[in-house]
Amino acid sequence: MYTTSIEKFIEDIPKAELHLHIEGTFEPELMFKIAQRNHKEIPYNSIEEVKNAYRFNNLQEFLDIYYAGAGVLITEQDFYDLTWAYLTKVHKQNVTHVEIFFDPQTHTERGISFDIVINGIRNALEDGISKLGISYKLIMSFLRHLDESSAFKTLEHAIPYKKWITAVGLDSSELGNPPSKFERVFTKARAEGYQTVAHAGEEGPATYIWEALDLLKVTRIDHGNSCLDDEQLVQKLVASQIPLTLCPLSNLELKVITDLKDHPIKKMMDKNLLVTINSDDPAYFGGYINKNYLETAKALNLSRKQITTLVKNSFKASWLSEEEKERIIKEIDFYAYQNQISKN
Ligand code: HPA
Ligand code: ZN
């Protein structure tokens, strides 16, 4: 018999989070506080009202509310506070490494400068290293509902900050905005030395995942649920071990699945796909990383060994150095050994 509960097993194991939109961590309490200090109106009278508004039938319904919420962020301090609140929360959940998205166009489109956004986020992330021991990489994500020229302009903004940004990504409304729309932007980004990732196959078809791989040359797919519709694609992802950053509670809230019991992650592990668990937009989808692990483990009856594999995958799929990955994976193996999980 195990001596620790599954809850505690998940809580205590060191984890990495690789699919997290910083604007999606904006909790109603902080939103009210920042709106008040910036003298901005929000269309809610109470935290209760905000939470009631968080019921979505699809990705677009969520995005409309997510962009509206982000509209109260004005100063560098706002972006710092937002990021710091996330870091302190996941620190308590034993997250030791994060690779987070920020959406500059959500802010530059309403007149906030790129510099304010990145400085606020980056200062909090740097404090996260020194005060919480959380390492990080930053991913600048293009909004795919906007046009190519806006993405090019955003890439230009990012060039002076190249040292701070590891990768570029692609998010927002997927249907009707295939990766091919941004082929030239991503080619330029790679030439500038950025890694590339893209949301693909969340609501969109498997062909969007092919485009992300073949045209955008991504090294990781965000979501990727629909890959299971295409056996040839699965074979390619398995052979290349290109990771998928899955977000179970997000999938449930955005009706990508109707029940967590239908989540494809277990099937994907059985096929040897390199899959990870992440929270996506935890303030909107009802749970940070540990809740994503726990609810998924319960719904799919995942073993502790499978949970350990998922956690190891989160580091394997990261952009940490090979030495750092080796060190942390040894630490996880030791944790599993202490919890009587066999290695094979
Ligand atoms: N999908 C696409 N765009 C997003 C998401 C998502 O889950 N979250 C924030 N922007
Ligand atoms: Zn996402």
Side-chain angles (χ1 to χ4, degrees), residues 9 13-14 308 312 327-341 343:
F9 182 77
I13 196 164
T308 306
K312 282 202 221 176
R327 182 189 57 74
I328 188 77
I329 284 167
K330 270 196 192 136
E331 207 178 292
I332 295 165
D333 279 335
F334 183 65
Y335 176 86
Y337 165 77
Q338 283 179 312
N339 281 276
Q340 299 123 39
I341 316 295
K343 227 172 165 185

Side-chain angles (χ1 to χ4, degrees), residues 19-21 59 62 66 101 141 170-172 199 202 222-223 245 247 250 254 279-281 285:
H19 184 156
L20 183 283
H21 303 264
L59 175 59
F62 154 68
Y66 160 91
F101 296 108
S141 205
L170 190 62
D171 64 7
S172 194
H199 282 53
E202 178 184 18
D222 298 308
H223 295 294
T245 62
C247 306
S250 163
L254 299 186
S279 70
D280 208 4
D281 303 281
F285 301 148

Side-chain angles (χ1 to χ4, degrees), residues 169-232:
L170 190 62
D171 64 7
S172 194
S173 323
E174 187 180 8
L175 290 171
N177 294 298
S180 50
K181 182 174 166 185
F182 297 96
E183 182 178 2
R184 298 192 313 169
V185 180
F186 273 62
T187 300
K188 172 98 195 300
R190 288 196 314 280
E192 293 285 353
Y194 295 101
Q195 298 270 357
T196 58
V197 296
H199 282 53
E202 178 184 18
E203 286 187 341
T207 50
Y208 282 23
I209 302 176
W210 279 113
E211 285 190 12
L213 296 170
D214 293 343
L215 306 180
L216 308 188
K217 319 269 187 221
V218 298
T219 52
R220 211 155 73 193
I221 296 282
D222 298 308
H223 295 294
N225 298 48
S226 66
C227 75
L228 290 178
D229 299 339
D230 183 334
E231 190 47 39
Q232 219 186 328

Side-chain angles (χ1 to χ4, degrees), residues 108-222:
T108 53
E109 288 275 309
R110 53 189 180 85
I112 309 296
S113 81
F114 187 94
D115 314 66
I116 282 179
V117 179
I118 196 164
N119 281 319
I121 295 171
R122 151 124 175 150
N123 287 340
L125 289 168
E126 286 292 312
D127 282 352
I129 294 183
S130 59
K131 296 181 180 157
L132 306 173
I134 299 178
S135 54
Y136 77 88
K137 308 282 178 193
L138 195 49
I139 310 166
M140 180 180 82
S141 205
F142 300 112
L143 299 183
R144 67 201 309 158
H145 68 276
L146 300 178
D147 62 18
E148 186 196 40
S149 79
S150 175
F152 267 123
K153 214 161 81 189
T154 306
L155 184 57
E156 283 305 314
H157 280 314
I159 302 294
Y161 297 102
K162 202 188 271 187
K163 276 209 208 107
W164 297 0
I165 301 171
T166 302
V168 299
L170 190 62
D171 64 7
S172 194
S173 323
E174 187 180 8
L175 290 171
N177 294 298
S180 50
K181 182 174 166 185
F182 297 96
E183 182 178 2
R184 298 192 313 169
V185 180
F186 273 62
T187 300
K188 172 98 195 300
R190 288 196 314 280
E192 293 285 353
Y194 295 101
Q195 298 270 357
T196 58
V197 296
H199 282 53
E202 178 184 18
E203 286 187 341
T207 50
Y208 282 23
I209 302 176
W210 279 113
E211 285 190 12
L213 296 170
D214 293 343
L215 306 180
L216 308 188
K217 319 269 187 221
V218 298
T219 52
R220 211 155 73 193
I221 296 282
D222 298 308

